[in-house]
Amino acid sequence: MSHKGIYSKLITLFSLLLTLLFVYTAVSKLMHLDTFQLRVERMPYIASYATVISWAVPFVELVIAGLLWFARYRTLALYASLVLLGSFTTYIIIILRYSNSIPCSCGGVISALGWKDHVILNISFMVLSLLGILWSKKQNNIQINQNTVQ
């Protein structure tokens, strides 16, 4: 199997895993929107934006999950995944470091994770996003080189 085939399969796997994460968390938040919004209202630094955040986060998660399945937008969606997960992770680290109150606004079984586990999970998915970006670029470079040679 060529490197191109391996990269393609891994990028598809990473896209699937990110899609599962984003769809699961978005649907969980939307199914319990009132609870999610109340939890965001209790969160330091962002409480005043709770209404917007409670709708925007699941919406963005679903948009990213959808874009991951269109080859034309996959790299953009991988970047968006990296930024969104990086934002969540940065916020968690700031809260852990500077706040006494640390409510969890996550949905579903993910809310059962401890804070260090949240950070590890987010960083793991960030690594998948980053590898997907790098390998997408590598795969595109291989395609360009093959088209140039022909």
Side-chain angles (χ1 to χ4, degrees), residues 90-115:
T90 301
Y91 180 76
I92 291 170
I93 291 168
I94 289 169
I95 294 303
L96 289 174
R97 184 151 174 101
Y98 298 108
S99 181
N100 295 331
S101 172
I102 312 172
C104 179
S105 63
C106 302
V109 296
I110 294 175
S111 63
L113 295 175
W115 287 110

Side-chain angles (χ1 to χ4, degrees), residues 47-94:
S48 60
Y49 305 103
T51 302
V52 172
I53 290 171
S54 64
W55 283 99
V57 169
F59 175 76
V60 169
E61 289 172 332
L62 291 173
V63 168
I64 292 170
L67 291 176
L68 284 164
W69 293 101
F70 293 95
R72 181 177 184 173
Y73 300 109
R74 184 168 294 139
T75 302
L76 173 66
L78 289 166
Y79 275 109
S81 300
L82 184 62
V83 168
L84 186 62
L85 290 163
S87 299
F88 290 158
T89 305
T90 301
Y91 180 76
I92 291 170
I93 291 168
I94 289 169

Side-chain angles (χ1 to χ4, degrees), residues 7 15 34 45 54 61 69 80 99 107 111 124 139 145:
Y7 293 136
S15 295
D34 292 340
Y45 313 117
S54 64
E61 289 172 332
W69 293 101
S99 181
S111 63
S124 299
Q139 187 176 1
N145 290 338

Side-chain angles (χ1 to χ4, degrees), residues 12 24 40 53 62 66 77-78 92 95 103 109-110 117-118 125 128-129 132-133 136 139:
T12 300
Y24 175 76
V40 174
I53 290 171
L62 291 173
L78 289 166
I92 291 170
I95 294 303
V109 296
I110 294 175
D117 296 327
H118 268 85
F125 278 96
L128 295 182
S129 299
I133 292 165
S136 289
Q139 187 176 1

